[in-house]
Amino acid sequence: MRQNHINNKQYLRGELLEDNMYKDPMDQFFLWFKEAVSENAKDVNSMILATTSQELTPSLRVVLLKNISTLGFSFFTDYNSRKALEISENPKASLLFFWSELERQVRIEGKVKKLTPEESDEYFNERDYGSKIAALISQQSTRWLSRNELDDKFKLYFDKHKDEKIKRPVHWGGYILIPEKFEFWQGREHRLNDRIVYDLVDQKWQRYRIAP
Ligand SMILES: Cc1cc2nc3c(=O)[nH]c(=O)nc-3n(C[C@H](O)[C@H](O)[C@H](O)COP(=O)(O)O)c2cc1C
């Protein structure tokens, strides 16, 4: 059945005008992120990460933003996962944030690098014991025989290492996406949305508006 009227919503929450925006897109992102936090936007630090395989097949998944620095956006994962394999083949990746409560979207493109082992250790050490064990056993994105096999392995390791300090397994750690392009999108009435792009050209950010 065709659903012609599935979303008739008008976007009326705000506007995005160059005069009110920072020259540096990281500052603009910080501002929007803070506003999303203060508006209790759902899953505020969830971002969709797009990577591409050698065969040019794109793949997407949600990961959690764990740190924003002036350099970029960090997340943590399994270094043998599908995303990690694709990043090793092609470090170019995209991130997408959608904060529906604010009618805002941010798209970010750039190159992904591994965090240093020390940076990964620091975050790993903050994780709760169960999450550490999960990282230890998970082998993300590989085939498993059954849920039971996973649960049994978890329980075995959970009990076995109970009184030990769990060290970060080498197959688990962080990445940072260093941005080269941003697009800030604010929904507007009649779909005449505001879209402001920042491109990094010769180490300088160039800003311009694009059509809705
Ligand atoms: C809300 C949410 C948060 C997630 N956060 C992470 C994360 O921070 N790191 C991660 O590796 N996977 C996270 N996942 C799981 C990923 O979406 C994905 O299933 C997993 O990383 C395997 O992806 P891959 O096979 O493409 O490598 C999250 C999923 C959801 C829905």
Side-chain angles (χ1 to χ4, degrees), residues 15-29 31-32 104-106 182-186 194-198 207-209:
E15 58 180 22
L16 186 61
L17 302 175
E18 290 86 330
D19 284 351
N20 303 328
M21 295 180 77
Y22 284 101
K23 296 239 166 347
D24 186 323
M26 283 311 270
D27 292 334
Q28 187 62 34
F29 184 87
L31 174 70
W32 271 27
R104 286 176 175 173
Q105 167 181 258
V106 185
F182 283 77
E183 181 198 318
F184 293 87
W185 183 99
Q186 176 76 58
D194 287 323
R195 300 177 68 192
I196 307 292
V197 174
Y198 293 75
R207 189 177 69 188
Y208 53 93
R209 177 175 287 268

CSV table of all heavy atoms in Angstrom, one decimal, residues 15-29 31-32 104-106 182-186 194-198 207-209:
chain,number,residue,atom,x,y,z
A,15,GLU,N,15.8,28.2,12.9
A,15,GLU,CA,16.4,28.6,11.6
A,15,GLU,C,17.9,28.6,11.8
A,15,GLU,O,18.4,28.6,12.9
A,15,GLU,CB,15.9,30.0,11.2
A,15,GLU,CG,16.2,31.1,12.3
A,15,GLU,CD,15.8,32.5,11.9
A,15,GLU,OE1,14.9,32.6,11.1
A,15,GLU,OE2,16.4,33.4,12.5
A,16,LEU,N,18.5,28.5,10.7
A,16,LEU,CA,20.0,28.5,10.7
A,16,LEU,C,20.5,29.5,9.7
A,16,LEU,O,20.5,29.3,8.5
A,16,LEU,CB,20.5,27.0,10.3
A,16,LEU,CG,22.0,26.7,10.4
A,16,LEU,CD1,22.4,26.9,11.9
A,16,LEU,CD2,22.2,25.3,10.0
A,17,LEU,N,21.1,30.6,10.3
A,17,LEU,CA,21.5,31.7,9.4
A,17,LEU,C,23.0,31.9,9.7
A,17,LEU,O,23.5,31.8,10.8
A,17,LEU,CB,20.7,33.0,9.8
A,17,LEU,CG,19.2,32.8,9.6
A,17,LEU,CD1,18.5,34.1,10.1
A,17,LEU,CD2,18.8,32.5,8.2
A,18,GLU,N,23.7,32.1,8.6
A,18,GLU,CA,25.2,32.2,8.6
A,18,GLU,C,25.6,33.2,9.7
A,18,GLU,O,26.6,33.0,10.4
A,18,GLU,CB,25.7,32.7,7.2
A,18,GLU,CG,25.6,31.6,6.2
A,18,GLU,CD,24.2,31.6,5.4
A,18,GLU,OE1,23.2,32.0,6.1
A,18,GLU,OE2,24.2,31.3,4.3
A,19,ASP,N,24.9,34.3,9.8
A,19,ASP,CA,25.4,35.3,10.8
A,19,ASP,C,25.4,34.8,12.2
A,19,ASP,O,26.2,35.4,13.1
A,19,ASP,CB,24.4,36.5,10.8
A,19,ASP,CG,24.7,37.4,9.5
A,19,ASP,OD1,25.7,37.1,8.8
A,19,ASP,OD2,23.8,38.3,9.3
A,20,ASN,N,24.6,33.8,12.5
A,20,ASN,CA,24.6,33.3,13.9
A,20,ASN,C,25.4,32.0,14.0
A,20,ASN,O,25.3,31.3,15.0
A,20,ASN,CB,23.1,32.9,14.3
A,20,ASN,CG,22.3,34.1,14.2
A,20,ASN,OD1,22.7,35.3,14.4
A,20,ASN,ND2,21.0,33.9,13.8
A,21,MET,N,26.2,31.7,13.0
A,21,MET,CA,27.0,30.5,13.1
A,21,MET,C,28.5,30.7,13.4
A,21,MET,O,29.0,31.8,12.9
A,21,MET,CB,26.8,29.7,11.8
A,21,MET,CG,25.4,29.2,11.6
A,21,MET,SD,25.2,28.2,10.1
A,21,MET,CE,26.0,26.7,10.6
A,22,TYR,N,29.1,29.8,14.0
A,22,TYR,CA,30.6,29.9,14.2
A,22,TYR,C,31.3,29.7,12.9
A,22,TYR,O,30.9,29.0,12.0
A,22,TYR,CB,31.0,28.8,15.2
A,22,TYR,CG,30.7,29.1,16.6
A,22,TYR,CD1,29.6,28.5,17.2
A,22,TYR,CD2,31.4,30.0,17.4
A,22,TYR,CE1,29.3,28.7,18.6
A,22,TYR,CE2,31.1,30.2,18.7
A,22,TYR,CZ,30.0,29.6,19.3
A,22,TYR,OH,29.7,29.9,20.6
A,23,LYS,N,32.5,30.2,12.9
A,23,LYS,CA,33.4,30.1,11.7
A,23,LYS,C,34.0,28.7,11.6
A,23,LYS,O,34.2,28.1,10.6
A,23,LYS,CB,34.5,31.1,11.7
A,23,LYS,CG,34.1,32.6,11.6
A,23,LYS,CD,34.7,33.2,10.4
A,23,LYS,CE,34.1,34.6,10.0
A,23,LYS,NZ,32.9,35.0,10.6
A,24,ASP,N,34.2,28.1,12.8
A,24,ASP,CA,34.7,26.8,12.9
A,24,ASP,C,33.6,25.8,13.2
A,24,ASP,O,32.8,25.9,14.1
A,24,ASP,CB,35.7,26.7,14.1
A,24,ASP,CG,36.5,25.4,14.1
A,24,ASP,OD1,35.8,24.3,13.9
A,24,ASP,OD2,37.7,25.4,14.5
A,25,PRO,N,33.4,24.8,12.3
A,25,PRO,CA,32.3,23.9,12.4
A,25,PRO,C,32.3,23.0,13.7
A,25,PRO,O,31.3,22.6,14.1
A,25,PRO,CB,32.4,23.0,11.2
A,25,PRO,CG,33.8,23.1,10.7
A,25,PRO,CD,34.3,24.5,11.1
A,26,MET,N,33.6,22.8,14.2
A,26,MET,CA,33.6,22.1,15.5
A,26,MET,C,32.9,22.9,16.6
A,26,MET,O,32.2,22.3,17.4
A,26,MET,CB,35.0,21.8,15.9
A,26,MET,CG,35.7,20.6,15.2
A,26,MET,SD,34.8,19.1,15.1
A,26,MET,CE,35.2,18.3,16.5
A,27,ASP,N,33.1,24.2,16.6
A,27,ASP,CA,32.4,25.0,17.6
A,27,ASP,C,30.9,25.0,17.4
A,27,ASP,O,30.1,24.9,18.3
A,27,ASP,CB,32.9,26.5,17.5
A,27,ASP,CG,34.3,26.7,17.9
A,27,ASP,OD1,34.8,25.9,18.7
A,27,ASP,OD2,35.0,27.6,17.4
A,28,GLN,N,30.5,25.0,16.1
A,28,GLN,CA,29.1,24.9,15.8
A,28,GLN,C,28.5,23.6,16.2
A,28,GLN,O,27.4,23.5,16.8
A,28,GLN,CB,28.9,25.1,14.3
A,28,GLN,CG,27.4,25.2,13.8
A,28,GLN,CD,26.7,26.4,14.4
A,28,GLN,OE1,27.3,27.4,14.6
A,28,GLN,NE2,25.4,26.2,14.8
A,29,PHE,N,29.3,22.5,16.0
A,29,PHE,CA,28.9,21.2,16.5
A,29,PHE,C,28.7,21.1,18.0
A,29,PHE,O,27.7,20.6,18.5
A,29,PHE,CB,29.8,20.1,16.0
A,29,PHE,CG,29.3,18.7,16.4
A,29,PHE,CD1,28.4,18.0,15.5
A,29,PHE,CD2,29.6,18.1,17.6
A,29,PHE,CE1,27.8,16.8,15.9
A,29,PHE,CE2,29.0,16.9,18.0
A,29,PHE,CZ,28.2,16.3,17.1
A,31,LEU,N,28.1,23.5,20.0
A,31,LEU,CA,26.9,24.3,20.4
A,31,LEU,C,25.6,23.4,20.1
A,31,LEU,O,24.8,23.3,21.1
A,31,LEU,CB,26.8,25.6,19.5
A,31,LEU,CG,25.5,26.4,19.7
A,31,LEU,CD1,25.5,27.0,21.1
A,31,LEU,CD2,25.4,27.5,18.7
A,32,TRP,N,25.5,22.8,19.0
A,32,TRP,CA,24.3,22.0,18.7
A,32,TRP,C,24.2,20.8,19.6
A,32,TRP,O,23.2,20.4,20.0
A,32,TRP,CB,24.3,21.6,17.2
A,32,TRP,CG,23.6,22.6,16.3
A,32,TRP,CD1,23.5,23.9,16.6
A,32,TRP,CD2,23.0,22.3,15.1
A,32,TRP,NE1,22.8,24.5,15.6
A,32,TRP,CE2,22.5,23.6,14.6
A,32,TRP,CE3,22.7,21.2,14.3
A,32,TRP,CZ2,21.8,23.7,13.4
A,32,TRP,CZ3,22.1,21.3,13.1
A,32,TRP,CH2,21.6,22.6,12.7
A,104,ARG,N,17.0,18.7,13.6
A,104,ARG,CA,18.3,19.0,13.2
A,104,ARG,C,19.1,17.7,12.7
A,104,ARG,O,18.9,16.7,13.4
A,104,ARG,CB,19.2,19.6,14.3
A,104,ARG,CG,18.8,21.1,14.5
A,104,ARG,CD,19.6,21.6,15.7
A,104,ARG,NE,19.3,23.0,15.8
A,104,ARG,CZ,19.7,23.8,16.9
A,104,ARG,NH1,20.4,23.3,17.8
A,104,ARG,NH2,19.4,25.1,16.9
A,105,GLN,N,19.9,17.9,11.7
A,105,GLN,CA,20.7,16.8,11.3
A,105,GLN,C,22.1,17.3,11.0
A,105,GLN,O,22.2,18.4,10.5
A,105,GLN,CB,20.1,16.2,10.0
A,105,GLN,CG,21.1,15.3,9.2
A,105,GLN,CD,20.4,14.8,7.9
A,105,GLN,OE1,19.9,13.7,7.8
A,105,GLN,NE2,20.4,15.6,6.9
A,106,VAL,N,23.1,16.5,11.4
A,106,VAL,CA,24.5,16.9,11.1
A,106,VAL,C,25.2,15.8,10.3
A,106,VAL,O,25.1,14.7,10.8
A,106,VAL,CB,25.3,17.3,12.3
A,106,VAL,CG1,26.7,17.8,11.9
A,106,VAL,CG2,24.6,18.3,13.2
A,182,PHE,N,31.4,19.2,6.8
A,182,PHE,CA,30.2,19.2,7.7
A,182,PHE,C,29.0,19.7,6.9
A,182,PHE,O,29.2,20.6,6.1
A,182,PHE,CB,30.3,20.1,8.9
A,182,PHE,CG,31.2,19.7,10.0
A,182,PHE,CD1,32.6,19.8,9.9
A,182,PHE,CD2,30.7,19.3,11.2
A,182,PHE,CE1,33.4,19.4,10.9
A,182,PHE,CE2,31.5,18.9,12.3
A,182,PHE,CZ,32.9,19.0,12.1
A,183,GLU,N,27.9,19.2,7.2
A,183,GLU,CA,26.6,19.9,6.8
A,183,GLU,C,25.7,19.9,8.0
A,183,GLU,O,25.3,18.9,8.6
A,183,GLU,CB,25.9,19.1,5.6
A,183,GLU,CG,24.7,19.9,5.2
A,183,GLU,CD,23.7,19.0,4.4
A,183,GLU,OE1,24.1,18.3,3.5
A,183,GLU,OE2,22.5,19.2,4.7
A,184,PHE,N,25.3,21.1,8.3
A,184,PHE,CA,24.3,21.4,9.4
A,184,PHE,C,23.0,21.6,8.7
A,184,PHE,O,22.8,22.5,7.8
A,184,PHE,CB,24.7,22.6,10.2
A,184,PHE,CG,26.0,22.4,11.0
A,184,PHE,CD1,27.2,22.6,10.4
A,184,PHE,CD2,25.9,21.9,12.3
A,184,PHE,CE1,28.4,22.4,11.2
A,184,PHE,CE2,27.1,21.7,13.0
A,184,PHE,CZ,28.3,21.9,12.5
A,185,TRP,N,22.0,20.9,9.1
A,185,TRP,CA,20.6,20.9,8.5
A,185,TRP,C,19.6,21.3,9.6
A,185,TRP,O,19.5,20.6,10.6
A,185,TRP,CB,20.3,19.5,7.9
A,185,TRP,CG,19.0,19.4,7.2
A,185,TRP,CD1,18.9,19.4,5.8
A,185,TRP,CD2,17.7,19.1,7.8
A,185,TRP,NE1,17.6,19.1,5.5
A,185,TRP,CE2,16.8,18.9,6.7
A,185,TRP,CE3,17.2,18.9,9.0
A,185,TRP,CZ2,15.5,18.6,6.9
A,185,TRP,CZ3,15.9,18.6,9.2
A,185,TRP,CH2,15.0,18.5,8.1
A,186,GLN,N,18.9,22.3,9.3
A,186,GLN,CA,17.8,22.7,10.2
A,186,GLN,C,16.5,22.6,9.4
A,186,GLN,O,16.3,23.3,8.4
A,186,GLN,CB,18.0,24.1,10.7
A,186,GLN,CG,16.9,24.6,11.6
A,186,GLN,CD,16.9,24.0,13.0
A,186,GLN,OE1,17.8,24.2,13.7
A,186,GLN,NE2,15.8,23.4,13.4
A,194,ASP,N,17.2,24.8,6.0
A,194,ASP,CA,18.5,25.5,5.9
A,194,ASP,C,19.6,24.4,5.9
A,194,ASP,O,19.5,23.5,6.7
A,194,ASP,CB,18.7,26.3,7.2
A,194,ASP,CG,17.9,27.6,7.2
A,194,ASP,OD1,17.7,28.2,6.1
A,194,ASP,OD2,17.4,28.0,8.2
A,195,ARG,N,20.5,24.6,5.0
A,195,ARG,CA,21.6,23.6,4.9
A,195,ARG,C,22.9,24.4,4.7
A,195,ARG,O,23.1,25.1,3.7
A,195,ARG,CB,21.5,22.7,3.7
A,195,ARG,CG,20.2,21.9,3.8
A,195,ARG,CD,20.1,21.0,2.5
A,195,ARG,NE,21.1,20.0,2.4
A,195,ARG,CZ,21.3,19.3,1.3
A,195,ARG,NH1,20.6,19.5,0.2
A,195,ARG,NH2,22.2,18.3,1.3
A,196,ILE,N,23.8,24.3,5.7
A,196,ILE,CA,25.0,25.1,5.7
A,196,ILE,C,26.2,24.1,5.7
A,196,ILE,O,26.3,23.2,6.6
A,196,ILE,CB,25.2,26.0,6.9
A,196,ILE,CG1,24.0,27.0,7.0
A,196,ILE,CG2,26.5,26.8,6.8
A,196,ILE,CD1,23.8,28.0,5.9
A,197,VAL,N,27.0,24.2,4.7
A,197,VAL,CA,28.2,23.3,4.5
A,197,VAL,C,29.5,24.0,4.9
A,197,VAL,O,29.6,25.2,4.7
A,197,VAL,CB,28.2,22.8,3.1
A,197,VAL,CG1,29.5,21.9,2.8
A,197,VAL,CG2,27.0,22.0,2.7
A,198,TYR,N,30.4,23.2,5.5
A,198,TYR,CA,31.7,23.7,5.8
A,198,TYR,C,32.7,22.7,5.1
A,198,TYR,O,32.6,21.5,5.4
A,198,TYR,CB,32.1,23.6,7.2
A,198,TYR,CG,31.3,24.6,8.1
A,198,TYR,CD1,30.0,24.4,8.5
A,198,TYR,CD2,32.0,25.7,8.7
A,198,TYR,CE1,29.4,25.3,9.4
A,198,TYR,CE2,31.4,26.6,9.5
A,198,TYR,CZ,30.1,26.4,9.9
A,198,TYR,OH,29.4,27.2,10.7
A,207,ARG,N,32.7,28.1,4.2
A,207,ARG,CA,31.3,27.9,4.5
A,207,ARG,C,30.4,28.4,3.4
A,207,ARG,O,30.6,29.4,2.8
A,207,ARG,CB,31.0,28.6,5.8
A,207,ARG,CG,29.7,28.3,6.4
A,207,ARG,CD,29.5,29.0,7.7
A,207,ARG,NE,29.4,30.5,7.5
A,207,ARG,CZ,29.4,31.4,8.5
A,207,ARG,NH1,29.5,31.0,9.7
A,207,ARG,NH2,29.3,32.7,8.2
A,208,TYR,N,29.4,27.6,3.1
A,208,TYR,CA,28.4,28.1,2.1
A,208,TYR,C,27.1,27.4,2.3
A,208,TYR,O,27.0,26.4,3.0
A,208,TYR,CB,28.9,27.8,0.7
A,208,TYR,CG,29.4,26.4,0.4
A,208,TYR,CD1,28.5,25.5,-0.2
A,208,TYR,CD2,30.6,26.0,0.7
A,208,TYR,CE1,28.9,24.2,-0.4
A,208,TYR,CE2,31.1,24.7,0.5
A,208,TYR,CZ,30.2,23.8,-0.1
A,208,TYR,OH,30.6,22.5,-0.3
A,209,ARG,N,26.1,28.0,1.7
A,209,ARG,CA,24.7,27.5,1.9
A,209,ARG,C,24.4,26.6,0.6
A,209,ARG,O,24.8,27.0,-0.5
A,209,ARG,CB,23.7,28.7,1.9
A,209,ARG,CG,22.2,28.3,2.0
A,209,ARG,CD,21.4,29.6,2.2
A,209,ARG,NE,21.6,30.0,3.6
A,209,ARG,CZ,20.8,29.7,4.6
A,209,ARG,NH1,19.7,28.9,4.4
A,209,ARG,NH2,21.0,30.1,5.8
